[in-house]
Amino acid sequence: MFEKFDPREGKKLEIMNENGEITPINEIPLMNDSQILEGYLVMLKTRVADEWAISLQRQGRMPTFPPTKGQEAIPLGALMALNQDDWFVIAYRELSGWLYRGIPLRNWYGYYYGNEKYAHLPTNKYHTFPPSVPIASQLLHTSGLAYAEKFKKTGRLAIGFVGDGGTSEGDFHEALNFAAVWKAGAIFIIQNNHYAISCPREKQTITPTLAEKGFAYGIPSIQVDGNDILSVYGAVKMAAERGRNGLGPTLIEAVTYRLGPHTTADDPTLYRSEEEVELWKPKDPLIRTEKYLLSKELLTSEKIEALKEEFLAFAKEEFQSVETSEDPTIEETYNYHYKELPEIMKEQLKERKERK
Amino acid sequence: MFEKFDPREGKKLEIMNENGEITPINEIPLMNDSQILEGYLVMLKTRVADEWAISLQRQGRMPTFPPTKGQEAIPLGALMALNQDDWFVIAYRELSGWLYRGIPLRNWYGYYYGNEKYAHLPTNKYHTFPPSVPIASQLLHTSGLAYAEKFKKTGRLAIGFVGDGGTSEGDFHEALNFAAVWKAGAIFIIQNNHYAISCPREKQTITPTLAEKGFAYGIPSIQVDGNDILSVYGAVKMAAERGRNGLGPTLIEAVTYRLGPHTTADDPTLYRSEEEVELWKPKDPLIRTEKYLLSKELLTSEKIEALKEEFLAFAKEEFQSVETSEDPTIEETYNYHYKELPEIMKEQLKERKERK
Amino acid sequence: MRALTLLEAVNDAYKTEMRLDPFIVTFGEDVGVEGGVFRATTGIQKEFGVERCFDSILAESGIAGTAIGMAAAGLKPVIEMQFSGFAWPAFNQIVSHIARFRNRTRGAITMPIVIRMPYGGGIRALEHHSESYEAIWGHIPGLKVVIPSTPYDAKGLLISAIRDPDPIIFMEPKRVYRSIKQEVPEGAYTIPIGKAKVISEGDSLTMVSYGAQMKEATAAVGELKKLGVSVELIDLRTIYPYDKETIINSVKKTGRFMVVHEAHQTFGVGAELITKVVEEAFLYLEAAPVRLTGPDTIFPLPRGERYFMISTDEIVKNAKNLAFYSI
Amino acid sequence: MRALTLLEAVNDAYKTEMRLDPFIVTFGEDVGVEGGVFRATTGIQKEFGVERCFDSILAESGIAGTAIGMAAAGLKPVIEMQFSGFAWPAFNQIVSHIARFRNRTRGAITMPIVIRMPYGGGIRALEHHSESYEAIWGHIPGLKVVIPSTPYDAKGLLISAIRDPDPIIFMEPKRVYRSIKQEVPEGAYTIPIGKAKVISEGDSLTMVSYGAQMKEATAAVGELKKLGVSVELIDLRTIYPYDKETIINSVKKTGRFMVVHEAHQTFGVGAELITKVVEEAFLYLEAAPVRLTGPDTIFPLPRGERYFMISTDEIVKNAKNLAFYSI
Ligand SMILES: Cc1ncc(C[n+]2csc(CCOP(=O)(O)OP(=O)(O)O)c2C)c(N)n1
Ligand SMILES: Cc1ncc(C[n+]2csc(CCOP(=O)(O)OP(=O)(O)O)c2C)c(N)n1
Ligand SMILES: [Mg+2]
Ligand SMILES: [Mg+2]
């Protein structure tokens, strides 16, 4: 199926267009309406939570964090196509997938608020890795997870996310090659949001697509409209089938656009034009899904407004729980380096407490 | 021209076959007889020098070193297609190119004998980098050199060598991408000798060729018969033209076979069969060139024997000059860390001399 | 003279030198159009063109590795690692090549490369954005490691680094980036690499610190004076090769020695300096030398970062104990 | 019991543990069919199959990075870096992830990974094949660093490392690989990580060493005995977290302290140990502690390597001076 969408021939998977119109494609798994609605709710919740975090940051209540606005369809569509116990390996912009997987919003907030305890995600419950800051490094974890599950014959897959800029790191190369040689059930998703901080996609590499890089490893690779949850879902569903059938990894480039700043510390006006942003606004994954659901009368404007309020109240609550929770104790900042705190560190801890 | 040899279509450039018969290919630059003869002489000298070093190692007079037997056509054919002031960036198996460039054999011997002074190659004379042990790292130097020459508008190129195994390292990926984005005049040559120590090429990556990896960076890429000096020459000549015309880098996979061990410390019988080696012996680049020259009566068997003796005498002399030269002084092992020896190291040196 | 922040001083050093030497090039992630995430390279691409100042591809090994080729071909690369915590993918190129080319080739190929990197904590940053790993860089033979603590020093030391014929890890204390302004002369001036600076003379004890930690150290010296403790405060400035002479001479005078650094303790800079003092001034010591350092923990996320940092009060208390200790 | 070389002891430890724990996997360059360039994994692929012992792709970041995923999914990766000098491409994965996952996730994801690597010089090797960088590994919070010096220790420590719930850098002194044979029990036994071993008791001075350097240190102890110097020789065994107690107790008894290590000096292990001794046993010291180490140079190619190594004679001479020094 992937051959029909060879990115080198300029082909790209697009199912739902900007107007919220769906053109199903033979053999490509299609989300049904209830799934689309379910997805929409998570996208909306993600959007509201993300915007609330920005306003918290502006109020000085939240440290620097990376907004996800405009990219919600990708992690979400991907996880909807997978099982709860497939491994979810994120970069740092995958809030929608996080929420879909059932991980509390407070854990996302709390991590960026600056407390490690919120990154304590029991793996048997969530099969999710915490945010990975060193660019592209997490793709190797993905390959390793996929190897282990193949070793254990569990049928579980591992999906790893990376940005467009991340494709330039050596780890991207090594991760894809390891997974391919192992025929491991890994799925790699590039969230091509057109920028690596200020560096435009065009300066990162001269190939017309990022997807085609997969062929260098013998990996079937496809470019999809990353602002269309149905395209993402369809591609990941097919990738998962390959993976579960022991056919090895797949690479998916999901083309999208970061509507907000890189992080709250970033000033995008330095490197991109207002016109460009305007061009992308109508392509917003949330809006087009909304259009579809409205046109199908699966949703009303009133309902949307009500949901927004509900989600905002929820986001506020979640953040409040973070803001009012205890900071780590000094012991907590020592105790998790090793199963047992070494004598040397114990003494440092003691000295530290006495030093004041 | 490169399009006509798309490795993804199973195409490979082959000009002179195992029997020493030449089939010229339209538009591909062809070596003339005097060049072939010149090349043969260097290959023969390389072969003799290499074998002498092995026998020295067996006698305990030479430490571990990596033989080059069977791969002589590649660095040589490449450098014959370039200018003396194009940068030559080696891994550790490029003796034929080293000699062609006019770098004394004693420097090669002396480096592997274990004295840094032999790696003192004035760049304005040789434009050559010393052996690079960390696999694939040297390709980034190649890209940087090409950038600098483009910056300085000298028209000089940089050619970098790597093994089949080296294509798996992250640095391979980054080097090709940097050069491509910069449209820098770099030429990358993979010496695919089918093994990375004991690891066969097939376990390194699942793509049918290594050449096709270049397309992931938008780099024209070609596979050539690396045991045919004419193919290597032709491909590099075309790559050089691209580079000098500002069209950017080229990737060349030269398919060859390591007829000897990985290094003198290696035991190839652990991982490859005698039959396989036998299969490759008739493809030896030296033998086929010899066949051609003999058939053209540009050479006689007697002449070859005389040359072998001459080269062996030469190799012996060169090694002798190394073996009888002074070891480094202790000062020399300190003095080249910085332009000026820091106080801290001066004191260590003094202490060290007094310590005994 | 103008008062500049440390960041502005770095920018000024760049421009000053790039006007003088057409072979200086600078690149790294976002250093071109944007001028770097901290704006250290603001305006450079505009003034010197895209060949001399540009965004690199997102690949640190590539940044360091290509700088090697450039240096060998006669350019003077000044590269930026966006944060010191992201220099690790370049570690192989730096350790295996940049630090070694001069020795490997007995001087035929040298590596006049400056590797700038913001380092250190105290700014409520994301993971990997707060570490202080100068001891690792200092432990690599063939590298020099420089850390300025003020805008004036930043400019003078960066110019020295750019002119230095050898590779230099130039670590910029990001906590200081915008926190202070200082008069910084126009035009070029240099500060010698390998020389520490005596900030205050004193005879009760010798205190060595560097980088962002100089702020608390300096404040502590003021407090200690009130308590009758006269501190000889030394800004180390260069981590390797460090200025042994200034330290030892001071300790011979004061008899008491203390190192204060933000980086964690074990195998840190403090251990080296104390050992050197013990080796060379043992008989002068009136008390065991003291190191006040970060703990052997990973730098905590913002809510825990206070447990890592060293306050003025802590320095005062420990220095007082050291000063009044008697055997 | 059989007499084994250190290499054979490593191989024996592997097999002993792999028979007990089906989740142990081992991979690295050439470790499969060939059994590793030193043959540490000989016979393992044959006995345990290609899923549990295999050649990796030639990519160290990939080796370490994929081990992370394996560990998180319940495997126990024991990986090999072919030489410690080639571990640097993996540095980012090790420092930024392997060392940090437990703390980052407050224990949800842990990294029970063993990273084996031959290290050290004295074997007339090519460039990058002779370095001793244990101080760098020891300086990374979240890692443990273990160095055996004998076949017996190698087996016991490697089994402990494999069973340890945390990541361990296991550095094998390649100079010792085949140079000595020692009785090594069959079956599993462990040696505690974090505990040093007193090799000889003595009261003239305390000498700490480890790894390949133990050979000369041990020989020196014999020579010194003849000179009337009774040395308490301690094999450190674990670089981090090191066994402070054993060292300090010994120094309190002997009053004199000396560290001997092959690695170069500045910011090395010797500095840390001396500083710790000074911090905790200052008043017991009858002489300034001494470090006998390699110089701050790059490890020379074979013809110069003798300038780097430390001989028995040098140890004897310096220990004698230390023992007979009086203030
Ligand atoms: C190894 C490494 N280098 C640099 C950084 C700093 N940095 C953080 S995000 C970023 C850009 C990433 O761009 P991209 O991969 O496109 O992902 P996006 O942020 O656009 O989602 C950079 C350079 C880092 N986190 N890790
Ligand atoms: C970064 C790094 N890792 C490992 C090694 C050890 N090593 C030396 S040669 C080699 C195999 C290289 O294979 P290939 O690239 O095919 O080159 P060849 O030796 O066949 O010419 C390895 C793994 C090294 N030198 N550098
Ligand atoms: Mg991006
Ligand atoms: Mg090879």
Side-chain angles (χ1 to χ4, degrees):
Chain A
M1 199 49 215
F2 287 103
E3 311 78 61
K4 296 200 187 147
F5 292 89
D6 193 326
R8 293 166 298 193
E9 294 163 6
K11 297 210 180 117
K12 183 164 137 189
L13 178 60
E14 291 167 317
I15 297 175
M16 179 195 275
N17 69 14
E18 287 182 41
N19 302 320
E21 295 150 359
I22 293 178
T23 315
I25 296 166
N26 248 341
E27 298 173 67
I28 307 264
L30 197 67
M31 291 173 93
N32 62 32
D33 282 351
S34 83
Q35 287 176 303
I36 298 175
L37 182 58
E38 185 190 4
Y40 174 77
L41 296 180
V42 177
M43 278 202 273
L44 185 63
K45 193 189 252 185
T46 304
R47 179 69 58 93
V48 171
D50 195 53
E51 289 183 337
W52 177 237
I54 296 183
S55 92
L56 288 166
Q57 199 278 336
R58 304 281 178 248
Q59 298 166 45
R61 292 165 67 192
M62 183 82 170
T64 302
F65 85 97
T68 161
K69 186 173 177 173
Q71 304 183 212
E72 294 91 342
I74 302 168
L76 176 61
L79 287 207
M80 289 184 80
L82 295 174
N83 298 337
Q84 174 75 14
D85 64 356
D86 290 324
W87 289 95
F88 177 37
V89 183
I90 69 177
Y92 42 77
R93 235 185 260 290
E94 290 78 7
L95 175 57
S96 61
W98 183 281
L99 294 178
Y100 178 75
R101 198 145 264 209
I103 309 172
L105 175 57
R106 70 186 61 184
N107 286 71
W108 186 265
Y109 280 166
Y111 172 80
Y112 286 112
Y113 188 65
N115 189 335
E116 291 84 352
K117 80 174 174 197
Y118 292 103
H120 180 95
L121 308 177
T123 51
N124 54 4
K125 189 165 173 196
Y126 298 124
H127 286 88
T128 296
F129 266 40
S132 172
V133 177
I135 300 297
S137 58
Q138 67 278 2
L139 298 185
L140 280 164
H141 313 165
T142 310
S143 302
L145 286 162
Y147 180 87
E149 298 302 347
K150 185 176 174 184
F151 180 96
K152 297 189 294 170
K153 303 194 173 57
T154 60
R156 278 187 206 131
L157 306 175
I159 187 163
F161 289 76
V162 71
D164 46 311
T167 63
S168 295
E169 289 279 6
D171 277 0
F172 172 85
H173 177 71
E174 300 186 11
L176 269 66
N177 200 30
F178 271 83
V181 168
W182 290 339
K183 272 200 189 308
I187 302 170
F188 301 103
I189 301 219
I190 303 166
Q191 293 207 53
N192 173 6
N193 65 4
H194 286 82
Y195 288 91
I197 308 186
S198 72
C199 186
R201 150 69 186 86
E202 293 68 38
K203 284 203 221 161
Q204 206 67 240
T205 189
I206 64 168
T207 55
T209 71
L210 299 172
E212 68 196 274
K213 292 181 183 290
F215 299 114
Y217 315 97
I219 296 181
S221 305
I222 187 174
Q223 199 183 48
V224 307
D225 181 346
N227 284 3
D228 167 21
I229 186 169
L230 282 81
S231 294
V232 176
Y233 174 89
V236 174
K237 201 85 187 160
M238 294 189 300
E241 199 185 317
R242 273 180 47 78
R244 288 198 222 280
N245 288 334
L247 299 176
T250 306
L251 174 67
I252 299 167
E253 175 188 0
V255 181
T256 182
Y257 194 80
R258 157 161 68 67
L259 290 171
H262 169 72
T263 66
T264 48
D266 176 46
D267 175 7
T269 64
L270 285 176
Y271 56 82
R272 68 185 191 187
S273 68
E274 207 33 65
E275 297 86 71
E276 186 185 284
V277 183
E278 286 307 320
L279 226 62
W280 278 91
K281 279 188 182 161
K283 301 185 201 286
D284 187 324
L286 187 69
I287 297 178
R288 70 170 78 172
T289 315
E290 208 166 282
K291 280 186 185 153
Y292 173 77
L293 292 168
L294 288 170
S295 77
K296 284 278 210 160
E297 296 181 2
L298 293 163
L299 206 59
T300 63
S301 304
E302 298 71 47
K303 177 72 183 160
I304 295 174
E305 286 317 305
L307 282 168
K308 278 188 187 162
E309 271 179 44
E310 180 192 328
F311 291 152
L312 182 60
F314 167 72
K316 286 181 173 174
E317 237 172 72
E318 290 287 291
F319 185 72
Q320 207 184 352
S321 102
V322 166
E323 207 174 26
T324 57
S325 95
E326 296 286 321
D327 276 352
T329 60
I330 186 167
E331 282 77 10
E332 278 177 285
T333 68
Y334 284 64
N335 282 347
Y336 291 93
H337 285 69
Y338 305 93
K339 183 110 193 279
E340 286 182 37
L341 191 63
E343 207 50 47
I344 247 175
M345 292 180 71
K346 257 188 215 156
E347 293 186 4
Q348 289 179 2
L349 175 58
K350 186 158 164 284
E351 186 266 334
R352 193 82 187 192
K353 290 165 91 173
E354 288 164 1
R355 186 196 284 181
K356 307 272 171 184
Chain B
M1 201 46 215
F2 286 103
E3 311 80 60
K4 295 200 188 148
F5 292 89
D6 193 326
R8 292 167 298 193
E9 295 164 4
K11 296 208 180 117
K12 181 163 138 190
L13 178 60
E14 292 167 317
I15 296 175
M16 179 195 275
N17 68 16
E18 286 182 40
N19 302 322
E21 294 150 357
I22 293 179
T23 316
I25 297 167
N26 247 343
E27 297 173 67
I28 306 267
L30 197 68
M31 292 174 92
N32 63 32
D33 282 350
S34 83
Q35 286 176 303
I36 297 174
L37 182 58
E38 186 189 5
Y40 173 79
L41 295 180
V42 177
M43 278 201 274
L44 185 63
K45 193 190 250 184
T46 304
R47 178 69 56 95
V48 170
D50 195 52
E51 289 184 337
W52 178 235
I54 295 182
S55 92
L56 288 166
Q57 199 279 335
R58 304 279 179 252
Q59 298 166 44
R61 293 164 67 191
M62 183 82 169
T64 303
F65 85 95
T68 162
K69 184 171 178 175
Q71 305 183 212
E72 294 91 344
I74 303 168
L76 176 61
L79 287 207
M80 290 185 79
L82 295 174
N83 299 336
Q84 173 76 15
D85 64 354
D86 290 324
W87 289 95
F88 176 38
V89 183
I90 69 176
Y92 43 77
R93 235 185 260 290
E94 292 77 7
L95 174 57
S96 63
W98 182 281
L99 294 178
Y100 178 76
R101 198 145 264 209
I103 308 171
L105 175 57
R106 68 184 64 181
N107 286 71
W108 186 264
Y109 280 165
Y111 172 81
Y112 286 111
Y113 188 65
N115 189 336
E116 290 85 352
K117 80 175 175 196
Y118 292 102
H120 180 97
L121 309 176
T123 52
N124 54 3
K125 189 163 173 197
Y126 297 124
H127 287 87
T128 296
F129 266 40
S132 173
V133 177
I135 300 297
S137 58
Q138 67 278 4
L139 298 185
L140 280 164
H141 314 165
T142 309
S143 301
L145 286 161
Y147 180 87
E149 298 302 347
K150 186 176 174 184
F151 179 97
K152 298 189 294 171
K153 302 193 174 56
T154 58
R156 278 186 206 131
L157 306 175
I159 187 163
F161 290 77
V162 72
D164 46 311
T167 63
S168 295
E169 289 277 7
D171 277 0
F172 173 86
H173 177 71
E174 300 186 12
L176 269 66
N177 199 30
F178 270 82
V181 167
W182 289 340
K183 271 199 190 307
I187 302 171
F188 301 104
I189 301 218
I190 303 167
Q191 294 206 53
N192 172 6
N193 64 4
H194 287 83
Y195 287 90
I197 309 186
S198 72
C199 186
R201 150 69 186 86
E202 293 69 37
K203 284 203 222 164
Q204 207 66 242
T205 188
I206 64 168
T207 55
T209 71
L210 299 172
E212 67 196 276
K213 292 182 183 289
F215 299 115
Y217 315 97
I219 297 180
S221 304
I222 187 174
Q223 200 182 47
V224 307
D225 181 346
N227 284 2
D228 167 22
I229 187 169
L230 282 83
S231 295
V232 176
Y233 174 90
V236 174
K237 201 85 188 162
M238 294 190 300
E241 198 186 318
R242 275 180 45 79
R244 289 197 223 280
N245 288 333
L247 299 176
T250 305
L251 174 67
I252 299 167
E253 175 189 358
V255 181
T256 184
Y257 194 81
R258 158 162 68 67
L259 289 172
H262 169 72
T263 65
T264 48
D266 177 45
D267 175 8
T269 63
L270 285 176
Y271 55 81
R272 67 184 192 188
S273 66
E274 207 34 64
E275 296 85 72
E276 185 184 286
V277 183
E278 287 306 320
L279 225 63
W280 279 91
K281 278 188 181 160
K283 300 184 201 287
D284 186 324
L286 188 69
I287 296 179
R288 73 171 76 172
T289 316
E290 208 166 281
K291 281 185 185 155
Y292 173 78
L293 293 168
L294 288 171
S295 77
K296 284 279 213 159
E297 296 181 3
L298 294 162
L299 206 59
T300 62
S301 304
E302 297 71 46
K303 177 74 182 158
I304 294 173
E305 287 315 306
L307 283 168
K308 279 188 186 161
E309 269 178 45
E310 179 192 330
F311 291 152
L312 182 60
F314 168 72
K316 285 181 173 174
E317 238 173 71
E318 289 289 290
F319 185 73
Q320 204 182 355
S321 104
V322 166
E323 206 174 26
T324 57
S325 94
E326 296 287 319
D327 276 351
T329 61
I330 187 166
E331 283 77 9
E332 277 177 287
T333 69
Y334 284 64
N335 282 345
Y336 291 93
H337 286 69
Y338 305 94
K339 183 112 193 279
E340 286 183 37
L341 191 63
E343 208 50 47
I344 246 176
M345 292 180 71
K346 257 188 215 155
E347 293 187 3
Q348 289 179 3
L349 175 57
K350 188 160 162 282
E351 187 266 332
R352 193 83 186 190
K353 289 164 91 173
E354 287 164 0
R355 185 196 285 179
K356 308 272 174 187
Chain C
M1 279 210 278
R2 320 115 327 143
L4 300 185
T5 62
L6 197 151
L7 259 177
E8 289 163 344
V10 165
N11 187 263
D12 194 32
Y14 256 124
K15 289 178 178 163
T16 305
E17 284 303 284
M18 288 180 77
R19 283 174 198 140
L20 299 174
D21 179 352
F23 291 104
I24 297 171
V25 294
T26 185
F27 59 106
E29 292 149 15
D30 305 288
V31 311
V33 173
E34 188 184 55
V37 292
F38 287 105
R39 315 289 182 259
T41 52
T42 290
I44 295 184
Q45 185 173 83
K46 206 162 171 206
E47 179 172 348
F48 301 97
V50 73
E51 269 84 30
R52 294 186 63 194
C53 174
F54 55 90
D55 290 347
S56 75
I57 287 160
L58 207 178
E60 293 76 15
S61 187
I63 296 168
T66 56
I68 291 169
M70 295 183 198
L75 304 192
K76 171 87 211 183
V78 182
I79 58 181
E80 177 178 295
M81 297 284 145
Q82 197 160 79
F83 287 84
S84 65
F86 304 132
W88 303 139
F91 202 61
N92 185 43
Q93 287 288 349
I94 299 173
V95 175
S96 303
H97 289 305
I98 293 183
R100 300 176 75 121
F101 253 103
R102 182 188 283 277
N103 184 60
R104 175 184 299 150
T105 66
R106 290 292 192 250
I109 298 179
T110 62
M111 290 289 124
I113 297 173
V114 181
I115 307 178
R116 294 180 42 246
M117 50 177 86
Y119 86 97
I123 57 155
R124 298 179 76 216
L126 294 166
E127 203 189 339
H128 308 289
H129 288 70
S130 300
E131 282 68 18
S132 298
Y133 271 125
E134 60 275 12
I136 288 186
W137 297 112
H139 190 57
I140 311 290
L143 298 180
K144 295 182 186 176
V145 183
V146 173
I147 303 186
S149 66
T150 65
Y152 180 87
D153 281 12
K155 179 170 174 184
L157 286 167
L158 183 51
I159 292 180
S160 295
I162 292 174
R163 296 184 185 178
D164 199 279
D166 288 304
I168 289 179
I169 307 290
F170 195 83
M171 301 177 73
E172 299 167 5
K174 70 176 98 66
R175 181 154 68 92
V176 187
Y177 261 166
R178 296 188 175 94
S179 72
I180 51 169
K181 285 209 171 205
Q182 190 184 24
E183 304 269 287
V184 173
E186 317 240 2
Y189 64 93
T190 58
I191 294 176
I193 288 169
K195 291 271 164 269
K197 184 180 181 195
V198 177
I199 302 294
S200 70
E201 301 206 358
D203 45 32
S204 309
L205 67 89
T206 301
M207 185 187 293
V208 170
S209 193
Y210 52 88
Q213 196 66 61
M214 283 303 294
K215 184 178 165 226
E216 289 77 24
T218 308
V221 170
E223 294 296 311
L224 286 158
K225 191 167 219 152
K226 295 180 203 155
L227 301 172
V229 177
S230 132
V231 177
E232 184 131 314
L233 177 62
I234 296 172
D235 181 350
L236 193 61
R237 278 179 169 170
T238 296
I239 303 298
Y240 193 90
Y242 63 86
D243 181 357
K244 186 199 79 178
E245 212 188 330
T246 299
I247 298 172
I248 299 298
N249 287 344
S250 176
V251 173
K252 285 186 177 168
K253 183 173 73 172
T254 64
R256 291 161 203 264
F257 182 58
M258 179 170 175
V259 198
V260 186
H261 63 63
E262 185 179 316
H264 62 280
Q265 183 165 95
T266 304
F267 305 121
V269 169
E272 174 63 31
L273 299 185
I274 287 177
T275 297
K276 187 54 84 183
V277 162
V278 168
E279 285 174 332
E280 309 226 344
F282 188 65
L283 298 181
Y284 296 82
L285 288 174
E286 291 163 30
V290 168
R291 53 180 167 174
L292 206 58
T293 72
D296 286 1
T297 68
I298 291 158
F299 197 96
L301 291 183
R303 305 309 301 181
E305 85 176 2
R306 63 181 176 280
Y307 303 128
F308 200 97
M309 307 301 290
I310 298 166
S311 68
T312 303
D313 283 356
E314 287 168 287
I315 301 175
V316 169
K317 182 172 161 195
N318 284 270
K320 207 177 65 184
N321 290 347
L322 175 59
F324 292 128
Y325 174 89
S326 73
I327 294 185
Chain D
M1 279 209 276
R2 320 119 321 151
L4 301 185
T5 63
L6 198 150
L7 260 176
E8 289 163 344
V10 165
N11 187 265
D12 194 32
Y14 256 123
K15 289 180 178 164
T16 304
E17 284 302 283
M18 288 180 79
R19 283 174 198 141
L20 298 174
D21 180 351
F23 291 103
I24 298 170
V25 294
T26 185
F27 59 106
E29 291 148 15
D30 305 289
V31 311
V33 173
E34 189 185 52
V37 292
F38 287 106
R39 316 287 182 260
T41 51
T42 290
I44 295 183
Q45 184 173 83
K46 205 161 170 208
E47 178 173 347
F48 301 97
V50 73
E51 270 84 31
R52 295 187 63 195
C53 175
F54 55 91
D55 290 347
S56 76
I57 287 159
L58 208 178
E60 293 75 13
S61 188
I63 295 168
T66 56
I68 291 170
M70 294 183 198
L75 304 191
K76 171 86 211 181
V78 182
I79 58 180
E80 176 177 296
M81 296 284 146
Q82 196 160 82
F83 286 84
S84 65
F86 305 133
W88 303 138
F91 201 60
N92 185 44
Q93 287 289 350
I94 298 172
V95 175
S96 303
H97 289 304
I98 292 182
R100 300 174 75 119
F101 252 103
R102 181 188 284 276
N103 184 60
R104 175 184 297 150
T105 66
R106 292 291 192 249
I109 297 178
T110 62
M111 289 289 125
I113 296 173
V114 180
I115 308 178
R116 294 180 41 245
M117 51 178 84
Y119 86 98
I123 56 154
R124 300 179 75 215
L126 294 166
E127 204 189 340
H128 308 289
H129 288 70
S130 300
E131 282 69 17
S132 299
Y133 271 125
E134 61 275 11
I136 288 186
W137 297 113
H139 190 57
I140 311 292
L143 298 180
K144 295 182 186 175
V145 183
V146 173
I147 302 186
S149 67
T150 65
Y152 179 86
D153 281 12
K155 179 170 174 185
L157 286 167
L158 183 52
I159 291 180
S160 295
I162 292 175
R163 296 185 184 179
D164 199 279
D166 288 305
I168 289 179
I169 306 291
F170 195 83
M171 300 177 70
E172 300 167 5
K174 70 176 98 66
R175 181 155 66 93
V176 187
Y177 261 167
R178 295 190 176 94
S179 72
I180 49 168
K181 286 209 171 203
Q182 189 185 24
E183 304 270 287
V184 174
E186 316 241 2
Y189 64 93
T190 59
I191 293 175
I193 288 169
K195 291 273 166 268
K197 183 179 182 193
V198 178
I199 301 294
S200 69
E201 301 207 358
D203 46 32
S204 310
L205 67 87
T206 301
M207 184 187 294
V208 171
S209 192
Y210 52 87
Q213 196 66 62
M214 283 302 295
K215 183 178 165 226
E216 289 77 24
T218 307
V221 170
E223 295 296 310
L224 286 158
K225 190 166 219 154
K226 296 180 202 155
L227 302 172
V229 178
S230 129
V231 178
E232 183 132 316
L233 176 63
I234 296 172
D235 182 350
L236 193 61
R237 278 180 169 169
T238 297
I239 304 298
Y240 192 89
Y242 63 85
D243 181 357
K244 188 199 79 177
E245 212 189 330
T246 298
I247 299 172
I248 299 299
N249 287 343
S250 175
V251 174
K252 284 186 177 166
K253 182 173 76 174
T254 63
R256 289 161 205 264
F257 182 58
M258 178 170 177
V259 198
V260 186
H261 63 62
E262 184 179 317
H264 61 281
Q265 182 164 99
T266 304
F267 306 121
V269 169
E272 174 62 33
L273 299 186
I274 288 177
T275 297
K276 187 54 82 184
V277 161
V278 167
E279 285 173 335
E280 309 227 344
F282 188 64
L283 298 181
Y284 295 84
L285 289 174
E286 290 163 31
V290 169
R291 52 179 167 175
L292 205 58
T293 72
D296 286 1
T297 67
I298 290 159
F299 197 96
L301 290 184
R303 305 309 301 180
E305 84 175 5
R306 62 181 177 281
Y307 304 128
F308 201 97
M309 307 302 289
I310 299 166
S311 67
T312 302
D313 283 356
E314 287 168 287
I315 301 174
V316 169
K317 183 173 163 193
N318 283 269
K320 205 176 67 185
N321 290 347
L322 175 60
F324 293 126
Y325 174 88
S326 71
I327 295 188

